[in-house]
Coordinates of all heavy atoms in Angstrom, one line a residue:
M1 N 15.1 -0.9 2.0 CA 14.1 -1.8 1.8 C 13.0 -1.1 1.0 O 12.5 0.0 1.4 CB 13.4 -2.3 3.1 CG 12.2 -3.1 3.0 SD 11.6 -3.9 4.4 CE 10.6 -2.6 5.0
M2 N 12.6 -1.7 0.0 CA 11.5 -1.1 -0.9 C 10.1 -1.6 -0.4 O 10.0 -2.6 0.2 CB 11.7 -1.6 -2.3 CG 13.0 -1.3 -2.9 SD 13.3 0.4 -3.0 CE 12.4 0.9 -4.4
M3 N 9.1 -0.7 -0.5 CA 7.7 -0.9 0.0 C 6.7 -0.3 -0.9 O 7.0 0.8 -1.4 CB 7.6 -0.5 1.4 CG 6.4 -0.9 2.1 SD 6.3 -0.3 3.8 CE 7.3 -1.4 4.7
I4 N 5.7 -1.0 -1.1 CA 4.5 -0.4 -1.8 C 3.9 0.6 -0.9 O 3.6 0.3 0.3 CB 3.5 -1.5 -2.3 CG1 4.2 -2.6 -3.2 CG2 2.3 -0.9 -3.0 CD1 3.4 -3.9 -3.2
V5 N 3.5 1.8 -1.5 CA 2.7 2.8 -0.7 C 1.4 3.0 -1.3 O 1.2 3.3 -2.5 CB 3.5 4.2 -0.7 CG1 2.7 5.2 0.0 CG2 4.9 4.0 0.0
I6 N 0.3 2.8 -0.6 CA -1.1 3.1 -1.1 C -1.5 4.2 -0.3 O -1.6 4.2 1.0 CB -1.9 1.9 -0.8 CG1 -1.5 0.7 -1.5 CG2 -3.4 2.2 -1.2 CD1 -1.7 0.5 -3.0
K7 N -1.8 5.4 -1.1 CA -2.4 6.6 -0.4 C -3.9 6.5 -0.4 O -4.5 6.3 -1.6 CB -1.9 7.8 -1.0 CG -0.4 8.0 -0.7 CD 0.2 9.2 -1.5 CE -0.6 10.4 -1.7 NZ 0.1 11.5 -2.5
V8 N -4.6 6.5 0.7 CA -6.1 6.5 0.7 C -6.6 7.9 1.0 O -5.9 8.7 1.7 CB -6.6 5.5 1.7 CG1 -6.3 4.1 1.3 CG2 -6.1 5.8 3.1
S9 N -7.8 8.2 0.4 CA -8.4 9.6 0.6 C -9.3 9.7 1.7 O -9.6 10.8 2.1 CB -9.0 10.0 -0.7 OG -10.1 9.1 -1.0
E10 N -9.7 8.6 2.3 CA -10.5 8.6 3.5 C -10.2 7.3 4.3 O -9.7 6.4 3.8 CB -12.0 8.7 3.2 CG -12.5 7.5 2.3 CD -13.9 7.7 1.9 OE1 -14.2 8.9 1.4 OE2 -14.7 6.8 2.0
V11 N -10.5 7.4 5.6 CA -10.1 6.3 6.5 C -11.4 5.4 6.8 O -12.3 6.0 7.5 CB -9.4 6.8 7.8 CG1 -9.1 5.6 8.8 CG2 -8.2 7.6 7.5
P12 N -11.5 4.2 6.4 CA -12.5 3.4 6.9 C -12.6 3.2 8.4 O -11.6 3.5 9.0 CB -12.2 2.0 6.2 CG -11.3 2.3 5.1 CD -10.4 3.5 5.6
N13 N -13.8 2.8 8.9 CA -13.9 2.8 10.4 C -13.6 1.5 11.0 O -13.9 1.3 12.2 CB -15.4 3.2 10.7 CG -16.4 2.2 10.1 OD1 -16.0 1.3 9.5 ND2 -17.6 2.6 10.3
S14 N -12.9 0.6 10.3 CA -12.4 -0.6 10.9 C -11.1 -1.1 10.2 O -10.8 -0.7 9.1 CB -13.5 -1.7 10.8 OG -13.6 -2.1 9.4
K15 N -10.3 -2.0 10.9 CA -9.1 -2.6 10.3 C -9.5 -3.4 9.0 O -8.8 -3.4 8.1 CB -8.5 -3.5 11.3 CG -7.8 -2.7 12.5 CD -7.0 -3.7 13.3 CE -6.1 -3.0 14.3 NZ -4.8 -2.8 13.7
E16 N -10.6 -4.1 9.1 CA -11.0 -4.9 7.9 C -11.4 -3.9 6.8 O -11.0 -4.2 5.6 CB -12.2 -5.8 8.2 CG -11.8 -6.8 9.3 CD -11.9 -6.4 10.7 OE1 -12.4 -5.2 11.0 OE2 -11.3 -7.1 11.6
G17 N -12.1 -2.9 7.1 CA -12.4 -1.9 6.1 C -11.2 -1.3 5.4 O -11.2 -1.1 4.2
L18 N -10.2 -1.0 6.2 CA -8.9 -0.4 5.6 C -8.3 -1.5 4.8 O -7.8 -1.1 3.7 CB -8.0 0.0 6.8 CG -6.6 0.6 6.3 CD1 -6.9 1.9 5.4 CD2 -5.8 0.9 7.5
R19 N -8.2 -2.6 5.2 CA -7.5 -3.7 4.4 C -8.2 -3.9 3.0 O -7.6 -4.0 2.0 CB -7.5 -5.0 5.1 CG -6.6 -6.1 4.3 CD -6.4 -7.3 5.0 NE -7.7 -8.0 5.3 CZ -8.2 -8.4 6.5 NH1 -7.4 -8.3 7.5 NH2 -9.3 -9.0 6.6
D20 N -9.6 -3.9 3.1 CA -10.4 -4.1 1.9 C -10.2 -2.9 0.9 O -10.1 -3.1 -0.2 CB -11.9 -4.2 2.3 CG -12.2 -5.6 2.8 OD1 -11.4 -6.5 2.8 OD2 -13.3 -5.7 3.4
R21 N -10.1 -1.7 1.5 CA -9.9 -0.5 0.7 C -8.5 -0.5 -0.1 O -8.4 -0.2 -1.2 CB -9.9 0.7 1.5 CG -9.6 2.0 0.8 CD -10.6 2.3 -0.3 NE -10.1 3.3 -1.2 CZ -9.7 3.1 -2.4 NH1 -9.5 1.8 -2.9 NH2 -9.3 4.0 -3.1
V22 N -7.5 -0.9 0.6 CA -6.1 -0.9 0.0 C -5.8 -2.1 -0.8 O -4.8 -2.1 -1.5 CB -5.0 -0.7 1.1 CG1 -5.2 0.6 1.8 CG2 -4.9 -1.8 2.0
R23 N -6.6 -3.2 -0.7 CA -6.2 -4.4 -1.4 C -6.5 -4.6 -2.8 O -5.9 -5.4 -3.6 CB -6.8 -5.7 -0.7 CG -8.3 -5.8 -0.8 CD -8.8 -7.0 -0.1 NE -9.2 -8.2 -0.9 CZ -9.7 -8.3 -2.1 NH1 -9.6 -7.3 -2.9 NH2 -10.1 -9.4 -2.6
R24 N -7.4 -3.6 -3.4 CA -7.6 -3.8 -4.9 C -7.9 -2.6 -5.6 O -8.1 -1.5 -5.1 CB -8.9 -4.7 -5.0 CG -10.2 -4.3 -4.4 CD -11.4 -5.0 -4.7 NE -11.6 -5.0 -6.2 CZ -12.2 -4.1 -6.8 NH1 -12.9 -3.1 -6.1 NH2 -12.4 -4.0 -8.1
A25 N -7.9 -2.8 -7.0 CA -8.1 -1.7 -8.0 C -7.0 -0.7 -8.1 O -7.3 0.5 -8.2 CB -9.5 -1.2 -7.8
W26 N -5.9 -1.1 -8.0 CA -4.7 -0.1 -8.2 C -4.1 -0.1 -9.6 O -3.9 -1.2 -10.1 CB -3.6 -0.3 -7.1 CG -4.3 -0.1 -5.8 CD1 -4.7 -1.1 -4.9 CD2 -4.7 1.2 -5.2 NE1 -5.2 -0.5 -3.7 CE2 -5.4 0.8 -4.0 CE3 -4.7 2.5 -5.7 CZ2 -5.9 1.8 -3.1 CZ3 -5.2 3.5 -4.8 CH2 -5.8 3.1 -3.6
R27 N -3.7 1.0 -10.2 CA -3.0 1.1 -11.4 C -1.5 1.1 -11.2 O -0.9 2.1 -10.8 CB -3.5 2.4 -12.1 CG -2.9 2.4 -13.5 CD -3.5 3.6 -14.3 NE -4.9 3.5 -14.3 CZ -5.7 4.3 -14.9 NH1 -5.3 5.3 -15.6 NH2 -7.0 4.1 -14.9
I28 N -0.9 -0.1 -11.4 CA 0.6 -0.2 -11.4 C 1.0 -1.4 -12.1 O 0.2 -2.4 -12.2 CB 1.0 -0.3 -9.8 CG1 2.6 -0.1 -9.8 CG2 0.5 -1.6 -9.1 CD1 3.1 0.0 -8.4
S29 N 2.1 -1.4 -12.7 CA 2.6 -2.5 -13.5 C 2.8 -3.7 -12.7 O 3.5 -3.6 -11.6 CB 3.8 -2.1 -14.3 OG 4.5 -3.2 -14.8
L30 N 2.4 -4.8 -13.1 CA 2.6 -6.1 -12.3 C 4.2 -6.3 -12.2 O 4.7 -6.8 -11.3 CB 2.0 -7.3 -13.0 CG 0.5 -7.3 -12.8 CD1 -0.1 -8.5 -13.6 CD2 0.1 -7.6 -11.4
D31 N 4.9 -5.9 -13.3 CA 6.3 -6.1 -13.4 C 7.1 -5.4 -12.2 O 8.0 -5.8 -11.6 CB 6.9 -5.7 -14.7 CG 6.5 -6.6 -15.9 OD1 6.1 -7.7 -15.6 OD2 6.6 -6.2 -17.0
R32 N 6.5 -4.2 -11.9 CA 7.1 -3.4 -10.8 C 6.9 -4.0 -9.5 O 7.7 -3.7 -8.5 CB 6.6 -1.9 -10.9 CG 6.9 -1.3 -12.1 CD 6.8 0.2 -12.0 NE 7.6 0.8 -10.9 CZ 7.1 1.7 -10.1 NH1 5.9 2.3 -10.2 NH2 7.9 2.3 -9.2
L33 N 6.0 -4.8 -9.4 CA 5.6 -5.4 -8.0 C 6.5 -6.7 -7.7 O 6.4 -7.1 -6.6 CB 4.1 -5.8 -8.0 CG 3.2 -4.6 -8.1 CD1 1.8 -5.2 -8.2 CD2 3.3 -3.7 -6.9
Y34 N 7.3 -7.1 -8.7 CA 8.1 -8.3 -8.4 C 9.0 -8.1 -7.2 O 9.7 -7.1 -7.2 CB 9.0 -8.5 -9.7 CG 9.8 -9.8 -9.5 CD1 9.3 -11.1 -9.6 CD2 11.2 -9.7 -9.4 CE1 10.1 -12.2 -9.5 CE2 12.0 -10.8 -9.2 CZ 11.4 -12.0 -9.2 OH 12.2 -13.1 -9.2
N35 N 9.0 -9.0 -6.3 CA 9.8 -8.9 -5.1 C 9.3 -7.9 -4.0 O 10.1 -7.8 -3.0 CB 11.3 -8.8 -5.3 CG 11.9 -10.1 -5.8 OD1 11.4 -11.1 -5.5 ND2 13.2 -10.0 -6.3
Q36 N 8.2 -7.4 -4.3 CA 7.7 -6.4 -3.2 C 7.0 -7.2 -2.2 O 6.0 -8.0 -2.5 CB 6.8 -5.3 -3.8 CG 7.5 -4.5 -4.8 CD 8.7 -3.8 -4.3 OE1 8.6 -3.2 -3.3 NE2 9.8 -3.8 -5.1
E37 N 7.4 -7.1 -0.9 CA 6.9 -8.0 0.1 C 6.0 -7.2 1.2 O 5.3 -7.9 1.8 CB 8.0 -8.6 0.9 CG 8.9 -9.6 -0.1 CD 10.0 -10.2 0.7 OE1 10.2 -10.0 1.8 OE2 10.8 -10.9 0.0
E38 N 6.2 -5.9 1.2 CA 5.4 -5.2 2.1 C 4.6 -3.9 1.6 O 5.2 -3.5 0.5 CB 6.2 -4.8 3.4 CG 6.7 -5.9 4.1 CD 7.5 -5.5 5.4 OE1 7.7 -4.3 5.6 OE2 8.0 -6.3 6.1
L39 N 3.5 -3.6 2.1 CA 2.7 -2.5 1.6 C 2.3 -1.7 2.8 O 1.9 -2.1 3.9 CB 1.5 -3.0 0.9 CG 0.4 -2.1 0.4 CD1 -0.2 -2.8 -0.8 CD2 -0.6 -1.7 1.3
M40 N 2.4 -0.4 2.7 CA 1.9 0.6 3.8 C 0.7 1.3 3.3 O 0.7 1.8 2.1 CB 3.0 1.5 4.3 CG 3.4 2.6 3.3 SD 4.5 3.7 4.1 CE 6.1 2.9 4.1
A41 N -0.3 1.4 4.2 CA -1.4 2.3 3.9 C -1.3 3.7 4.5 O -1.0 3.8 5.7 CB -2.7 1.7 4.5
V42 N -1.3 4.8 3.7 CA -1.0 6.1 4.2 C -2.2 7.0 4.0 O -2.9 7.1 2.9 CB 0.2 6.7 3.4 CG1 0.5 8.1 3.8 CG2 1.5 5.8 3.7
Y43 N -2.5 7.8 4.9 CA -3.6 8.8 4.9 C -3.1 10.1 5.3 O -2.6 10.3 6.5 CB -4.9 8.4 5.7 CG -5.9 9.5 5.8 CD1 -6.6 9.7 4.7 CD2 -6.0 10.2 6.9 CE1 -7.7 10.7 4.8 CE2 -7.1 11.2 7.1 CZ -7.9 11.4 6.0 OH -8.8 12.5 6.0
K44 N -3.0 11.1 4.5 CA -2.5 12.5 4.7 C -1.2 12.5 5.5 O -0.9 13.1 6.4 CB -3.5 13.3 5.7 CG -4.8 13.6 4.9 CD -5.8 14.5 5.6 CE -6.9 14.8 4.7 NZ -7.9 15.7 5.5
G45 N -0.3 11.6 5.0 CA 1.0 11.5 5.5 C 1.2 10.5 6.7 O 2.3 10.3 7.1
E46 N 0.2 10.1 7.3 CA 0.2 9.2 8.4 C 0.2 7.8 8.0 O -0.7 7.3 7.2 CB -0.8 9.4 9.4 CG -0.7 8.5 10.7 CD -1.7 8.7 11.7 OE1 -2.5 9.6 11.6 OE2 -1.8 7.9 12.6
I47 N 1.2 6.9 8.4 CA 1.1 5.4 8.1 C 0.1 4.8 9.0 O 0.3 4.7 10.2 CB 2.6 4.9 8.2 CG1 3.6 5.6 7.4 CG2 2.5 3.3 7.9 CD1 5.0 5.2 7.6
L48 N -1.0 4.4 8.4 CA -2.1 3.8 9.2 C -1.8 2.3 9.5 O -2.2 1.8 10.6 CB -3.4 4.0 8.4 CG -3.9 5.2 8.1 CD1 -5.2 5.2 7.3 CD2 -4.2 6.1 9.3
E49 N -1.2 1.5 8.5 CA -1.1 0.2 8.7 C 0.0 -0.4 7.8 O 0.3 0.3 6.7 CB -2.4 -0.6 8.4 CG -2.5 -2.0 8.9 CD -2.3 -2.1 10.4 OE1 -3.3 -1.8 11.1 OE2 -1.2 -2.5 10.8
V50 N 0.7 -1.5 8.2 CA 1.6 -2.0 7.2 C 1.2 -3.6 7.1 O 0.7 -4.2 8.1 CB 3.0 -2.1 7.9 CG1 4.0 -2.8 7.1 CG2 3.5 -0.6 8.1
Y51 N 1.2 -4.0 5.9 CA 0.9 -5.4 5.5 C 1.9 -6.2 4.8 O 2.7 -5.5 4.1 CB -0.3 -5.3 4.6 CG -1.6 -4.5 5.1 CD1 -1.8 -3.2 4.7 CD2 -2.5 -5.2 5.8 CE1 -2.8 -2.5 5.2 CE2 -3.6 -4.6 6.2 CZ -3.8 -3.2 5.9 OH -4.9 -2.5 6.3
K52 N 1.9 -7.5 5.0 CA 2.7 -8.3 4.2 C 1.9 -8.6 3.0 O 0.7 -8.9 3.1 CB 3.0 -9.7 5.0 CG 3.8 -10.7 4.2 CD 4.1 -11.9 5.0 CE 5.0 -12.8 4.2 NZ 5.4 -14.0 4.9
V53 N 2.6 -8.6 1.8 CA 2.0 -9.0 0.5 C 2.0 -10.5 0.4 O 3.2 -10.9 0.1 CB 2.6 -8.2 -0.7 CG1 1.9 -8.6 -2.0 CG2 2.5 -6.6 -0.5
L54 N 0.9 -11.1 0.5 CA 0.9 -12.6 0.3 C 0.9 -13.0 -1.2 O 1.6 -13.9 -1.6 CB -0.3 -13.2 1.0 CG -0.4 -12.9 2.6 CD1 -1.7 -13.4 3.1 CD2 0.8 -13.4 3.3
S55 N 0.2 -12.2 -2.0 CA 0.2 -12.4 -3.4 C -0.4 -11.2 -4.1 O -1.0 -10.3 -3.4 CB -0.7 -13.7 -3.8 OG -2.0 -13.5 -3.4
Y56 N -0.3 -11.1 -5.4 CA -0.9 -10.0 -6.2 C -1.2 -10.6 -7.6 O -0.7 -11.6 -8.1 CB 0.0 -8.8 -6.2 CG 1.3 -9.0 -6.9 CD1 1.5 -8.9 -8.2 CD2 2.4 -9.4 -6.0 CE1 2.7 -9.1 -8.8 CE2 3.6 -9.7 -6.7 CZ 3.7 -9.5 -8.1 OH 5.0 -9.8 -8.7
G57 N -2.1 -9.8 -8.3 CA -2.4 -10.2 -9.6 C -3.5 -9.3 -10.2 O -3.8 -8.3 -9.6
R58 N -3.9 -9.6 -11.4 CA -5.0 -8.8 -12.0 C -6.2 -8.8 -11.2 O -6.7 -9.9 -10.7 CB -5.4 -9.3 -13.4 CG -4.3 -9.3 -14.4 CD -4.5 -8.1 -15.3 NE -3.3 -7.8 -16.2 CZ -2.6 -6.7 -16.0 NH1 -2.9 -5.8 -15.2 NH2 -1.5 -6.6 -16.8
D59 N -6.8 -7.6 -10.9 CA -8.1 -7.4 -10.2 C -9.2 -8.2 -11.1 O -9.3 -8.0 -12.3 CB -8.5 -6.0 -10.1 CG -9.6 -5.7 -9.1 OD1 -10.6 -6.4 -9.3 OD2 -9.4 -4.9 -8.3
Q60 N -10.0 -8.9 -10.3 CA -11.1 -9.7 -11.0 C -12.2 -8.8 -11.5 O -13.0 -9.2 -12.3 CB -11.6 -10.8 -10.1 CG -10.6 -11.7 -9.6 CD -10.0 -12.5 -10.8 OE1 -10.7 -13.1 -11.6 NE2 -8.6 -12.6 -11.0
I61 N -12.4 -7.6 -10.9 CA -13.5 -6.8 -11.2 C -13.0 -5.7 -12.2 O -13.7 -5.5 -13.2 CB -14.1 -6.1 -10.0 CG1 -14.6 -7.2 -9.0 CG2 -15.1 -5.0 -10.3 CD1 -15.0 -6.7 -7.6
E62 N -12.0 -5.0 -12.1 CA -11.4 -4.0 -12.9 C -10.1 -4.6 -13.5 O -9.0 -4.4 -12.9 CB -11.1 -2.7 -12.2 CG -12.4 -2.1 -11.6 CD -12.2 -0.7 -11.0 OE1 -11.5 0.1 -11.6 OE2 -12.6 -0.5 -9.9
E63 N -10.2 -5.2 -14.6 CA -9.1 -6.0 -15.2 C -7.9 -5.3 -15.4 O -6.8 -5.9 -15.5 CB -9.6 -6.9 -16.3 CG -9.9 -6.1 -17.6 CD -10.5 -6.9 -18.7 OE1 -11.4 -7.7 -18.4 OE2 -10.0 -6.8 -19.8
K64 N -7.9 -4.0 -15.7 CA -6.6 -3.3 -16.0 C -6.0 -2.8 -14.7 O -5.0 -2.0 -14.7 CB -7.0 -2.1 -16.9 CG -7.4 -2.6 -18.2 CD -7.5 -1.5 -19.2 CE -8.0 -2.1 -20.5 NZ -7.4 -1.7 -21.6
R65 N -6.5 -3.2 -13.6 CA -6.0 -2.8 -12.2 C -5.3 -4.0 -11.5 O -5.5 -5.2 -11.9 CB -7.1 -2.2 -11.4 CG -7.8 -1.1 -12.0 CD -7.0 0.2 -11.9 NE -7.6 1.4 -12.6 CZ -7.8 2.5 -12.0 NH1 -7.4 2.6 -10.8 NH2 -8.4 3.4 -12.6
V66 N -4.7 -3.8 -10.4 CA -4.0 -4.8 -9.6 C -4.7 -5.0 -8.3 O -5.2 -4.0 -7.7 CB -2.5 -4.5 -9.4 CG1 -1.8 -5.4 -8.5 CG2 -1.8 -4.5 -10.7
A67 N -4.8 -6.2 -7.7 CA -5.3 -6.5 -6.5 C -4.2 -7.3 -5.7 O -3.4 -8.0 -6.2 CB -6.5 -7.3 -6.6
F68 N -4.3 -7.1 -4.4 CA -3.3 -7.7 -3.4 C -4.0 -8.6 -2.5 O -5.2 -8.3 -2.1 CB -2.6 -6.7 -2.6 CG -1.8 -5.7 -3.4 CD1 -2.3 -4.5 -3.7 CD2 -0.5 -6.0 -3.8 CE1 -1.6 -3.5 -4.5 CE2 0.3 -5.1 -4.6 CZ -0.3 -3.9 -4.9
E69 N -3.4 -9.7 -2.0 CA -3.8 -10.5 -0.8 C -2.9 -10.0 0.2 O -1.7 -10.2 0.2 CB -3.7 -12.0 -1.2 CG -4.3 -12.8 -0.1 CD -5.8 -12.8 0.1 OE1 -6.4 -12.5 -1.0 OE2 -6.3 -12.8 1.2
L70 N -3.5 -9.5 1.3 CA -2.7 -8.8 2.4 C -2.9 -9.5 3.8 O -4.0 -10.0 4.1 CB -3.0 -7.4 2.5 CG -2.8 -6.6 1.2 CD1 -3.4 -5.2 1.4 CD2 -1.3 -6.4 0.8
E71 N -1.8 -9.4 4.5 CA -1.9 -9.8 6.0 C -1.3 -8.7 6.8 O -0.1 -8.3 6.6 CB -1.2 -11.2 6.2 CG -1.0 -11.6 7.6 CD -0.2 -12.9 7.7 OE1 -0.8 -14.0 7.3 OE2 1.0 -12.8 8.0
E72 N -2.0 -8.3 7.9 CA -1.4 -7.2 8.7 C -0.3 -7.8 9.6 O -0.3 -8.9 9.9 CB -2.6 -6.8 9.8 CG -2.3 -5.6 10.5 CD -3.4 -5.3 11.5 OE1 -4.6 -5.4 11.1 OE2 -3.2 -4.9 12.6
I73 N 0.7 -6.9 9.6 CA 1.9 -7.3 10.4 C 2.3 -6.2 11.3 O 2.0 -5.0 11.0 CB 3.2 -7.7 9.4 CG1 3.5 -6.5 8.5 CG2 2.8 -9.0 8.6 CD1 4.8 -6.7 7.7
P74 N 3.0 -6.4 12.4 CA 3.5 -5.4 13.3 C 4.7 -4.7 12.6 O 5.5 -5.2 11.9 CB 4.0 -6.2 14.5 CG 4.1 -7.6 14.2 CD 3.3 -7.9 12.9
S75 N 4.7 -3.3 12.9 CA 5.8 -2.5 12.2 C 6.0 -1.3 13.0 O 5.0 -0.6 13.5 CB 5.4 -2.1 10.8 OG 6.2 -1.2 10.3
E76 N 7.2 -0.9 13.3 CA 7.6 0.3 13.8 C 7.2 1.6 13.1 O 7.2 2.7 13.5 CB 9.0 0.3 14.1 CG 9.9 0.3 13.0 CD 11.5 0.1 13.4 OE1 11.8 -0.5 14.3 OE2 12.2 0.8 12.7
L77 N 6.8 1.3 11.7 CA 6.4 2.5 10.9 C 5.0 2.9 11.2 O 4.7 4.1 10.9 CB 6.5 2.1 9.4 CG 7.9 1.8 8.9 CD1 7.9 1.2 7.5 CD2 8.8 3.0 9.0
K78 N 4.2 2.0 11.7 CA 2.8 2.4 11.9 C 2.6 3.6 12.9 O 3.3 3.6 13.9 CB 2.1 1.1 12.5 CG 0.6 1.3 12.7 CD -0.1 0.0 13.1 CE -1.5 0.2 13.5 NZ -2.1 -1.0 13.9
G79 N 1.8 4.5 12.5 CA 1.6 5.7 13.4 C 2.5 6.9 13.0 O 2.3 8.0 13.5
K80 N 3.6 6.6 12.3 CA 4.6 7.8 12.0 C 4.0 8.6 10.8 O 3.2 8.2 10.0 CB 5.9 7.1 11.6 CG 6.6 6.5 12.8 CD 8.0 6.1 12.4 CE 8.7 5.6 13.7 NZ 10.1 5.3 13.4
K81 N 4.5 9.8 10.8 CA 4.1 10.8 9.8 C 5.2 10.9 8.8 O 6.4 10.9 9.1 CB 3.8 12.1 10.3 CG 2.6 12.1 11.2 CD 1.3 12.3 10.4 CE 0.7 13.6 10.5 NZ -0.5 13.8 9.7
I82 N 4.9 10.9 7.5 CA 5.9 11.0 6.4 C 5.5 12.2 5.5 O 4.3 12.5 5.4 CB 6.1 9.7 5.6 CG1 4.8 9.3 4.9 CG2 6.7 8.6 6.4 CD1 4.9 8.1 4.0
S83 N 6.5 12.8 4.9 CA 6.3 13.7 3.8 C 6.5 13.0 2.6 O 7.6 12.6 2.2 CB 7.4 14.9 3.9 OG 7.1 15.7 2.8
Y84 N 5.3 12.7 1.8 CA 5.4 11.9 0.6 C 4.6 12.5 -0.5 O 3.4 12.3 -0.5 CB 5.1 10.5 0.9 CG 5.3 9.5 -0.2 CD1 6.6 9.3 -0.6 CD2 4.3 8.8 -0.9 CE1 6.9 8.4 -1.6 CE2 4.5 8.0 -1.9 CZ 5.7 7.8 -2.3 OH 6.1 6.9 -3.4
K85 N 5.2 13.4 -1.2 CA 4.5 14.2 -2.1 C 4.4 13.5 -3.5 O 5.3 13.6 -4.3 CB 5.0 15.6 -2.3 CG 4.9 16.4 -1.0 CD 5.4 17.8 -1.0 CE 5.5 18.5 0.2 NZ 4.9 18.1 1.4
T86 N 3.3 12.8 -3.8 CA 3.2 12.3 -5.2 C 1.6 12.3 -5.5 O 0.9 12.1 -4.5 CB 3.7 10.9 -5.3 OG1 3.5 10.4 -6.7 CG2 3.2 9.9 -4.3
A87 N 1.3 12.4 -6.7 CA -0.1 12.4 -7.0 C -0.6 11.0 -7.2 O -1.7 10.8 -7.1 CB -0.4 13.3 -8.4
N88 N 0.3 10.1 -7.5 CA -0.1 8.7 -7.6 C -0.3 8.0 -6.4 O 0.5 8.0 -5.5 CB 1.2 8.0 -8.4 CG 0.8 6.6 -9.0 OD1 -0.2 6.1 -8.5 ND2 1.6 6.2 -9.9
P89 N -1.5 7.4 -6.3 CA -2.0 6.8 -5.0 C -1.2 5.4 -4.8 O -1.3 4.9 -3.7 CB -3.4 6.7 -5.1 CG -3.7 6.6 -6.6 CD -2.6 7.5 -7.2
C90 N -0.6 4.8 -5.8 CA 0.0 3.5 -5.6 C 1.4 3.7 -6.2 O 1.6 3.7 -7.5 CB -0.8 2.4 -6.3 SG -0.1 0.8 -6.1
T91 N 2.4 3.6 -5.4 CA 3.8 3.8 -5.7 C 4.7 2.8 -5.0 O 4.3 2.1 -4.1 CB 4.3 5.2 -5.6 OG1 4.1 5.5 -4.2 CG2 3.6 6.2 -6.5
I92 N 5.9 2.8 -5.4 CA 6.9 2.1 -4.6 C 8.0 3.0 -4.1 O 8.5 3.7 -4.9 CB 7.5 0.9 -5.5 CG1 6.4 -0.1 -5.9 CG2 8.6 0.2 -4.8 CD1 6.8 -1.1 -6.9
V93 N 8.4 2.9 -2.9 CA 9.4 3.7 -2.3 C 10.4 3.0 -1.5 O 10.1 1.9 -1.0 CB 8.7 4.8 -1.4 CG1 8.1 4.1 -0.1 CG2 9.6 5.9 -1.0
D94 N 11.7 3.5 -1.5 CA 12.7 3.0 -0.6 C 12.4 3.6 0.8 O 12.6 4.8 0.9 CB 14.0 3.4 -1.2 CG 15.2 2.8 -0.4 OD1 15.0 2.3 0.8 OD2 16.3 2.6 -1.0
V95 N 12.1 2.8 1.8 CA 11.8 3.3 3.1 C 13.0 4.1 3.6 O 12.7 5.1 4.4 CB 11.5 2.1 4.0 CG1 11.2 2.5 5.4 CG2 10.2 1.4 3.5
E96 N 14.2 3.8 3.3 CA 15.4 4.5 3.8 C 15.4 6.0 3.5 O 16.0 6.8 4.0 CB 16.7 3.8 3.5 CG 16.8 2.5 4.3 CD 18.1 1.8 3.9 OE1 18.9 2.3 3.3 OE2 18.1 0.5 4.2
N97 N 14.7 6.2 2.2 CA 14.6 7.5 1.7 C 13.5 8.3 2.1 O 13.3 9.5 1.7 CB 14.8 7.5 0.1 CG 16.1 7.0 -0.3 OD1 17.1 7.1 0.3 ND2 16.2 6.5 -1.6
L98 N 12.6 7.8 2.9 CA 11.4 8.6 3.3 C 11.8 9.6 4.3 O 12.7 9.4 5.1 CB 10.4 7.6 4.1 CG 9.5 6.7 3.2 CD1 8.7 5.8 4.1 CD2 8.7 7.5 2.3
E99 N 11.0 10.8 4.2 CA 11.2 11.8 5.0 C 10.2 11.9 6.2 O 9.0 12.1 5.9 CB 11.1 13.2 4.3 CG 11.4 14.4 5.1 CD 11.2 15.6 4.2 OE1 11.4 15.7 3.0 OE2 10.8 16.7 4.9
F100 N 10.6 11.6 7.4 CA 9.8 11.5 8.5 C 9.5 12.8 9.1 O 10.5 13.6 9.2 CB 10.1 10.4 9.6 CG 10.1 9.1 9.1 CD1 11.2 8.4 8.4 CD2 8.9 8.3 9.2 CE1 11.2 7.1 8.0 CE2 8.9 6.9 8.7 CZ 10.0 6.4 8.1
V101 N 8.3 13.2 9.5 CA 8.1 14.5 10.0 C 7.4 14.4 11.5 O 7.0 13.4 11.9 CB 7.1 15.3 9.2 CG1 7.8 15.6 7.9 CG2 5.8 14.6 8.9

């Protein structure tokens, strides 16, 4: 299963703050997002939250970026640690290929 990964550099102090942080202003091709249904928020390798992608499109504030409409969903991935070395903060990964630590 493929999933969007958003790496955040700091953790907001609420669930709403985290969702607001990961939902907008990402540099990724809209074409690559086709059929992507889930997104995980990751901080220093820890999966903080998993969301269902309700929709996505051009960010209204930063037009060369992408924004998501997200809904929190239960997931067994939440709280797990992964080794995911990439400099890009917004990528797509095959969950079956993730290295859990």
